[in-house]
Amino acid sequence: ERVIAAKGSKRVMLKNNQQAKFDTVLVPIAQVALAPADRPDVAFDAFFTHILMHELVHGLGPHGITVGGRLTTVRQELKEASSAIEEAKADITGLFALQFLIDQGQLPKAMERTIYTTFLASAFRSIRFGISEAHGRGQAVQLNYLLDRGAVVVNADGTFAVVAEKIREAVAALAGDIMTLQAAGDYAAARTMLDTFGVIRPETQAVLPRLGSDLLELF
């Protein structure tokens, strides 16, 4: 927090590395986890740009905060819940930021069709490692929140799909919830969010074995 406050933050992205990850891992995962109609909307530009926004958003939002009249940090107040909450924040607020940039004409309008479906496929890329790691648990929080909001649905065949008319509102709501509890340094709210949403539910667990052992070990 001290370095970010004094100097800001910098990100270096290796695009060829991400292209390999997309081709080798994400596309095969999409073929298993997503509904057939949604699979063509999994796109590298959406994947890479969301990762970029994820990293940028880590440097934004609450860091140094005031709780009960004392200066502190989000990390100190949220304790062991901080890492998973921060990863969820970066993901979902990065997705919100992508939509904002599309709405402002800074990114192609066509990307609006691909960002949410690519994000959904990428959720399984993180969750397949389990919820003992911050990225996996943070991603579980997001997926379950979106499912409960009806922004993502599970089809009869066990595949997942985005509900276009609900996804934007649900993404904005979760981004707001996370940023608010971070700004307040609300440890109880963070624990409740992780305990409620940071789990692998049966419909998600059913997909993971179908990914195959090779995909479970990559990236």
Side-chain angles (χ1 to χ4, degrees):
E1 295 90 353
R2 176 176 56 82
V3 174
I4 290 174
K7 303 295 184 180
S9 58
K10 180 179 180 180
R11 303 289 182 261
V12 177
M13 307 296 295
L14 303 178
K15 197 169 187 178
N16 59 339
N17 179 278
Q18 298 300 337
Q19 181 75 63
K21 187 182 293 188
F22 177 83
D23 294 339
T24 307
V25 179
L26 194 67
V27 171
I29 285 175
Q31 297 304 307
V32 173
L34 300 190
D38 286 355
R39 294 169 192 168
D41 287 337
V42 175
F44 175 69
D45 281 350
F47 175 68
F48 181 78
T49 311
H50 179 253
I51 291 173
L52 174 61
M53 295 308 299
H54 170 108
E55 297 301 338
L56 291 174
V57 168
H58 271 312
L60 302 174
H63 287 281
I65 57 176
T66 301
V67 177
R70 58 186 173 82
L71 295 178
T72 182
T73 67
V74 172
R75 180 168 50 82
Q76 289 174 309
E77 295 304 308
L78 299 193
K79 305 174 188 177
E80 81 287 346
S82 178
S83 292
I85 291 292
E86 176 62 23
E87 292 302 333
K89 180 206 82 175
D91 264 345
I92 204 70
T93 310
L95 193 59
F96 173 86
L98 279 181
Q99 183 65 67
F100 176 83
L101 291 174
I102 291 168
D103 292 344
Q104 296 296 311
Q106 299 300 314
L107 289 174
K109 183 68 174 176
M111 192 178 283
E112 188 172 38
R113 194 188 74 253
T114 61
I115 57 172
Y116 298 111
T117 302
T118 304
F119 170 82
L120 179 57
S122 194
F124 290 93
R125 182 177 63 86
S126 297
I127 290 174
R128 76 192 196 282
F129 293 121
I131 58 171
S132 60
E133 188 270 340
H135 292 80
R137 193 163 198 191
Q139 191 59 257
V141 166
Q142 297 165 79
L143 180 58
N144 291 327
Y145 187 102
L146 296 176
L147 283 164
D148 287 357
R149 289 284 182 126
V152 172
V153 294
V154 184
N155 298 312
D157 63 357
T159 59
F160 286 63
V162 170
V163 179
E165 60 270 24
K166 295 183 178 181
I167 189 69
R168 288 183 58 159
E169 181 180 348
V171 166
L174 179 54
D177 287 350
I178 292 176
M179 299 275 262
T180 298
L181 73 83
Q182 284 187 323
D186 192 338
Y187 174 72
R191 285 286 356 150
T192 297
M193 179 172 283
L194 291 181
D195 293 343
T196 304
F197 297 111
V199 297
I200 298 180
R201 294 179 180 174
E203 57 267 34
T204 302
Q205 180 59 49
V207 173
L208 300 182
R210 292 168 25 218
L211 298 178
S213 59
D214 53 342
L215 286 177
L216 291 174
E217 294 170 0
L218 286 169
F219 297 100

